[in-house]
PDB file of all heavy atoms in Angstrom:
ATOM      1  N   VAL A 194       8.576 -23.958  -6.706  1.00  0.00           N
ATOM      2  CA  VAL A 194       7.620 -23.581  -7.740  1.00  0.00           C
ATOM      3  C   VAL A 194       6.612 -22.611  -7.135  1.00  0.00           C
ATOM      4  O   VAL A 194       6.231 -22.738  -5.979  1.00  0.00           O
ATOM      5  CB  VAL A 194       6.890 -24.835  -8.277  1.00  0.00           C
ATOM      6  CG1 VAL A 194       5.792 -24.447  -9.247  1.00  0.00           C
ATOM      7  CG2 VAL A 194       7.889 -25.754  -8.946  1.00  0.00           C
ATOM      8  N   SER A 195       6.228 -21.616  -7.937  1.00  0.00           N
ATOM      9  CA  SER A 195       5.229 -20.650  -7.484  1.00  0.00           C
ATOM     10  C   SER A 195       4.322 -20.302  -8.653  1.00  0.00           C
ATOM     11  O   SER A 195       4.634 -20.597  -9.809  1.00  0.00           O
ATOM     12  CB  SER A 195       5.916 -19.392  -6.947  1.00  0.00           C
ATOM     13  OG  SER A 195       4.963 -18.395  -6.640  1.00  0.00           O
ATOM     14  N   ALA A 196       3.171 -19.688  -8.341  1.00  0.00           N
ATOM     15  CA  ALA A 196       2.257 -19.235  -9.381  1.00  0.00           C
ATOM     16  C   ALA A 196       1.979 -17.753  -9.183  1.00  0.00           C
ATOM     17  O   ALA A 196       1.972 -17.263  -8.050  1.00  0.00           O
ATOM     18  CB  ALA A 196       0.948 -20.030  -9.326  1.00  0.00           C
ATOM     19  N   TYR A 198      -0.446 -14.233 -10.270  1.00  0.00           N
ATOM     20  CA  TYR A 198      -1.778 -13.805 -10.734  1.00  0.00           C
ATOM     21  C   TYR A 198      -1.839 -12.285 -10.796  1.00  0.00           C
ATOM     22  O   TYR A 198      -1.166 -11.590 -10.027  1.00  0.00           O
ATOM     23  CB  TYR A 198      -2.849 -14.313  -9.774  1.00  0.00           C
ATOM     24  CG  TYR A 198      -2.768 -15.800  -9.507  1.00  0.00           C
ATOM     25  CD1 TYR A 198      -2.148 -16.283  -8.351  1.00  0.00           C
ATOM     26  CD2 TYR A 198      -3.293 -16.710 -10.413  1.00  0.00           C
ATOM     27  CE1 TYR A 198      -2.061 -17.644  -8.100  1.00  0.00           C
ATOM     28  CE2 TYR A 198      -3.209 -18.074 -10.173  1.00  0.00           C
ATOM     29  CZ  TYR A 198      -2.598 -18.536  -9.011  1.00  0.00           C
ATOM     30  OH  TYR A 198      -2.512 -19.878  -8.780  1.00  0.00           O
ATOM     31  N   GLU A 223       6.746 -19.692 -17.115  1.00  0.00           N
ATOM     32  CA  GLU A 223       5.907 -20.079 -18.257  1.00  0.00           C
ATOM     33  C   GLU A 223       4.513 -19.495 -18.078  1.00  0.00           C
ATOM     34  O   GLU A 223       4.065 -19.256 -16.958  1.00  0.00           O
ATOM     35  CB  GLU A 223       5.794 -21.610 -18.329  1.00  0.00           C
ATOM     36  CG  GLU A 223       7.115 -22.299 -18.662  1.00  0.00           C
ATOM     37  CD  GLU A 223       6.979 -23.823 -18.709  1.00  0.00           C
ATOM     38  OE1 GLU A 223       5.872 -24.353 -18.469  1.00  0.00           O
ATOM     39  OE2 GLU A 223       8.007 -24.475 -18.974  1.00  0.00           O
ATOM     40  N   LEU A 224       3.822 -19.286 -19.212  1.00  0.00           N
ATOM     41  CA  LEU A 224       2.412 -18.906 -19.184  1.00  0.00           C
ATOM     42  C   LEU A 224       1.607 -20.201 -19.190  1.00  0.00           C
ATOM     43  O   LEU A 224       1.816 -21.046 -20.060  1.00  0.00           O
ATOM     44  CB  LEU A 224       2.048 -18.061 -20.411  1.00  0.00           C
ATOM     45  CG  LEU A 224       2.909 -16.834 -20.709  1.00  0.00           C
ATOM     46  CD1 LEU A 224       2.425 -16.162 -21.989  1.00  0.00           C
ATOM     47  CD2 LEU A 224       2.871 -15.853 -19.556  1.00  0.00           C
ATOM     48  N   HIS A 225       0.703 -20.361 -18.218  1.00  0.00           N
ATOM     49  CA  HIS A 225      -0.097 -21.582 -18.117  1.00  0.00           C
ATOM     50  C   HIS A 225      -1.577 -21.255 -18.085  1.00  0.00           C
ATOM     51  O   HIS A 225      -1.977 -20.189 -17.635  1.00  0.00           O
ATOM     52  CB  HIS A 225       0.226 -22.334 -16.814  1.00  0.00           C
ATOM     53  CG  HIS A 225       1.465 -23.156 -16.882  1.00  0.00           C
ATOM     54  ND1 HIS A 225       1.778 -24.082 -15.919  1.00  0.00           N
ATOM     55  CD2 HIS A 225       2.473 -23.197 -17.787  1.00  0.00           C
ATOM     56  CE1 HIS A 225       2.939 -24.664 -16.235  1.00  0.00           C
ATOM     57  NE2 HIS A 225       3.385 -24.130 -17.357  1.00  0.00           N
ATOM     58  N   THR A 226      -2.364 -22.217 -18.537  1.00  0.00           N
ATOM     59  CA  THR A 226      -3.793 -22.154 -18.307  1.00  0.00           C
ATOM     60  C   THR A 226      -4.219 -23.496 -17.734  1.00  0.00           C
ATOM     61  O   THR A 226      -3.427 -24.440 -17.686  1.00  0.00           O
ATOM     62  CB  THR A 226      -4.571 -21.817 -19.599  1.00  0.00           C
ATOM     63  OG1 THR A 226      -5.926 -21.543 -19.250  1.00  0.00           O
ATOM     64  CG2 THR A 226      -4.519 -22.964 -20.598  1.00  0.00           C
ATOM     65  N   VAL A 227      -5.446 -23.579 -17.260  1.00  0.00           N
ATOM     66  CA  VAL A 227      -5.968 -24.834 -16.726  1.00  0.00           C
ATOM     67  C   VAL A 227      -7.122 -25.255 -17.626  1.00  0.00           C
ATOM     68  O   VAL A 227      -8.002 -24.460 -17.933  1.00  0.00           O
ATOM     69  CB  VAL A 227      -6.454 -24.660 -15.275  1.00  0.00           C
ATOM     70  CG1 VAL A 227      -7.116 -25.936 -14.771  1.00  0.00           C
ATOM     71  CG2 VAL A 227      -5.290 -24.279 -14.371  1.00  0.00           C
ATOM     72  N   LYS A 235      -6.232 -30.000 -15.893  1.00  0.00           N
ATOM     73  CA  LYS A 235      -4.771 -30.059 -15.978  1.00  0.00           C
ATOM     74  C   LYS A 235      -4.206 -28.711 -16.417  1.00  0.00           C
ATOM     75  O   LYS A 235      -4.834 -28.003 -17.196  1.00  0.00           O
ATOM     76  CB  LYS A 235      -4.353 -31.111 -17.005  1.00  0.00           C
ATOM     77  CG  LYS A 235      -4.352 -32.518 -16.457  1.00  0.00           C
ATOM     78  CD  LYS A 235      -3.718 -33.471 -17.449  1.00  0.00           C
ATOM     79  CE  LYS A 235      -3.686 -34.887 -16.893  1.00  0.00           C
ATOM     80  NZ  LYS A 235      -3.414 -35.876 -17.932  1.00  0.00           N
ATOM     81  N   MET A 236      -2.995 -28.430 -15.956  1.00  0.00           N
ATOM     82  CA  MET A 236      -2.302 -27.232 -16.405  1.00  0.00           C
ATOM     83  C   MET A 236      -1.720 -27.481 -17.782  1.00  0.00           C
ATOM     84  O   MET A 236      -1.252 -28.567 -18.076  1.00  0.00           O
ATOM     85  CB  MET A 236      -1.153 -26.880 -15.465  1.00  0.00           C
ATOM     86  CG  MET A 236      -1.587 -26.445 -14.111  1.00  0.00           C
ATOM     87  SD  MET A 236      -0.239 -25.619 -13.275  1.00  0.00           S
ATOM     88  CE  MET A 236       1.000 -26.877 -13.236  1.00  0.00           C
ATOM     89  N   ARG A 237      -1.751 -26.451 -18.585  1.00  0.00           N
ATOM     90  CA  ARG A 237      -1.200 -26.572 -19.934  1.00  0.00           C
ATOM     91  C   ARG A 237      -0.456 -25.282 -20.256  1.00  0.00           C
ATOM     92  O   ARG A 237      -0.903 -24.184 -19.938  1.00  0.00           O
ATOM     93  CB  ARG A 237      -2.366 -26.752 -20.909  1.00  0.00           C
ATOM     94  CG  ARG A 237      -1.982 -26.964 -22.336  1.00  0.00           C
ATOM     95  CD  ARG A 237      -3.213 -27.436 -23.131  1.00  0.00           C
ATOM     96  NE  ARG A 237      -4.293 -26.440 -23.142  1.00  0.00           N
ATOM     97  CZ  ARG A 237      -4.336 -25.390 -23.957  1.00  0.00           C
ATOM     98  NH1 ARG A 237      -3.371 -25.180 -24.820  1.00  0.00           N
ATOM     99  NH2 ARG A 237      -5.349 -24.553 -23.911  1.00  0.00           N
ATOM    100  N   ARG A 238       0.705 -25.421 -20.859  1.00  0.00           N
ATOM    101  CA  ARG A 238       1.478 -24.241 -21.236  1.00  0.00           C
ATOM    102  C   ARG A 238       0.872 -23.581 -22.470  1.00  0.00           C
ATOM    103  O   ARG A 238       0.433 -24.262 -23.396  1.00  0.00           O
ATOM    104  CB  ARG A 238       2.927 -24.656 -21.536  1.00  0.00           C
ATOM    105  CG  ARG A 238       3.818 -23.461 -21.766  1.00  0.00           C
ATOM    106  CD  ARG A 238       5.257 -23.859 -21.999  1.00  0.00           C
ATOM    107  NE  ARG A 238       6.064 -22.658 -22.166  1.00  0.00           N
ATOM    108  CZ  ARG A 238       7.386 -22.659 -22.290  1.00  0.00           C
ATOM    109  NH1 ARG A 238       8.045 -23.788 -22.237  1.00  0.00           N
ATOM    110  NH2 ARG A 238       8.026 -21.522 -22.435  1.00  0.00           N
ATOM    111  N   GLY A 256      -7.360 -20.858 -13.431  1.00  0.00           N
ATOM    112  CA  GLY A 256      -7.347 -20.417 -14.821  1.00  0.00           C
ATOM    113  C   GLY A 256      -5.944 -20.023 -15.243  1.00  0.00           C
ATOM    114  O   GLY A 256      -4.964 -20.667 -14.873  1.00  0.00           O
ATOM    115  N   LEU A 257      -5.867 -18.957 -16.030  1.00  0.00           N
ATOM    116  CA  LEU A 257      -4.558 -18.475 -16.472  1.00  0.00           C
ATOM    117  C   LEU A 257      -3.678 -18.136 -15.278  1.00  0.00           C
ATOM    118  O   LEU A 257      -4.157 -17.567 -14.289  1.00  0.00           O
ATOM    119  CB  LEU A 257      -4.726 -17.222 -17.337  1.00  0.00           C
ATOM    120  CG  LEU A 257      -5.288 -17.421 -18.746  1.00  0.00           C
ATOM    121  CD1 LEU A 257      -5.711 -16.071 -19.317  1.00  0.00           C
ATOM    122  CD2 LEU A 257      -4.250 -18.081 -19.639  1.00  0.00           C
ATOM    123  N   HIS A 258      -2.398 -18.480 -15.373  1.00  0.00           N
ATOM    124  CA  HIS A 258      -1.451 -18.110 -14.321  1.00  0.00           C
ATOM    125  C   HIS A 258      -0.039 -18.120 -14.872  1.00  0.00           C
ATOM    126  O   HIS A 258       0.221 -18.719 -15.916  1.00  0.00           O
ATOM    127  CB  HIS A 258      -1.561 -19.052 -13.110  1.00  0.00           C
ATOM    128  CG  HIS A 258      -1.332 -20.498 -13.439  1.00  0.00           C
ATOM    129  ND1 HIS A 258      -2.327 -21.293 -13.971  1.00  0.00           N
ATOM    130  CD2 HIS A 258      -0.232 -21.286 -13.324  1.00  0.00           C
ATOM    131  CE1 HIS A 258      -1.843 -22.514 -14.158  1.00  0.00           C
ATOM    132  NE2 HIS A 258      -0.571 -22.537 -13.781  1.00  0.00           N
ATOM    133  N   LEU A 259       0.833 -17.424 -14.167  1.00  0.00           N
ATOM    134  CA  LEU A 259       2.259 -17.560 -14.449  1.00  0.00           C
ATOM    135  C   LEU A 259       2.755 -18.721 -13.615  1.00  0.00           C
ATOM    136  O   LEU A 259       2.377 -18.865 -12.456  1.00  0.00           O
ATOM    137  CB  LEU A 259       3.043 -16.307 -14.031  1.00  0.00           C
ATOM    138  CG  LEU A 259       2.756 -14.993 -14.738  1.00  0.00           C
ATOM    139  CD1 LEU A 259       3.720 -13.933 -14.223  1.00  0.00           C
ATOM    140  CD2 LEU A 259       2.859 -15.133 -16.246  1.00  0.00           C
ATOM    141  N   MET A 260       3.609 -19.554 -14.192  1.00  0.00           N
ATOM    142  CA  MET A 260       4.236 -20.636 -13.434  1.00  0.00           C
ATOM    143  C   MET A 260       5.708 -20.286 -13.301  1.00  0.00           C
ATOM    144  O   MET A 260       6.416 -20.162 -14.309  1.00  0.00           O
ATOM    145  CB  MET A 260       4.064 -21.940 -14.215  1.00  0.00           C
ATOM    146  CG  MET A 260       4.157 -23.153 -13.366  1.00  0.00           C
ATOM    147  SD  MET A 260       2.550 -23.496 -12.632  1.00  0.00           S
ATOM    148  CE  MET A 260       3.098 -24.387 -11.194  1.00  0.00           C
ATOM    149  N   LEU A 261       6.143 -20.117 -12.051  1.00  0.00           N
ATOM    150  CA  LEU A 261       7.536 -19.747 -11.791  1.00  0.00           C
ATOM    151  C   LEU A 261       8.307 -20.979 -11.332  1.00  0.00           C
ATOM    152  O   LEU A 261       7.846 -21.710 -10.452  1.00  0.00           O
ATOM    153  CB  LEU A 261       7.617 -18.675 -10.701  1.00  0.00           C
ATOM    154  CG  LEU A 261       7.079 -17.274 -11.040  1.00  0.00           C
ATOM    155  CD1 LEU A 261       5.561 -17.226 -10.963  1.00  0.00           C
ATOM    156  CD2 LEU A 261       7.670 -16.245 -10.084  1.00  0.00           C
ATOM    157  N   PHE A 262       9.456 -21.197 -11.955  1.00  0.00           N
ATOM    158  CA  PHE A 262      10.290 -22.348 -11.612  1.00  0.00           C
ATOM    159  C   PHE A 262      11.618 -21.886 -11.016  1.00  0.00           C
ATOM    160  O   PHE A 262      12.071 -20.773 -11.304  1.00  0.00           O
ATOM    161  CB  PHE A 262      10.564 -23.185 -12.867  1.00  0.00           C
ATOM    162  CG  PHE A 262       9.320 -23.754 -13.482  1.00  0.00           C
ATOM    163  CD1 PHE A 262       8.697 -23.107 -14.542  1.00  0.00           C
ATOM    164  CD2 PHE A 262       8.743 -24.921 -12.992  1.00  0.00           C
ATOM    165  CE1 PHE A 262       7.538 -23.623 -15.119  1.00  0.00           C
ATOM    166  CE2 PHE A 262       7.583 -25.438 -13.555  1.00  0.00           C
ATOM    167  CZ  PHE A 262       6.984 -24.788 -14.619  1.00  0.00           C
TER     168      PHE A 262
HETATM  169 CU1   CU B 436       0.981 -23.985 -13.992  1.00  0.00          CU
END
Side-chain angles (χ1 to χ4, degrees):
V194 174
S195 174
Y198 308 99
E223 293 179 359
L224 308 178
H225 279 192
T226 190
V227 175
K235 278 189 179 165
M236 293 196 300
R237 183 168 62 81
R238 187 177 182 175
L257 287 166
H258 58 279
L259 296 184
M260 203 85 205
L261 292 79
F262 298 97

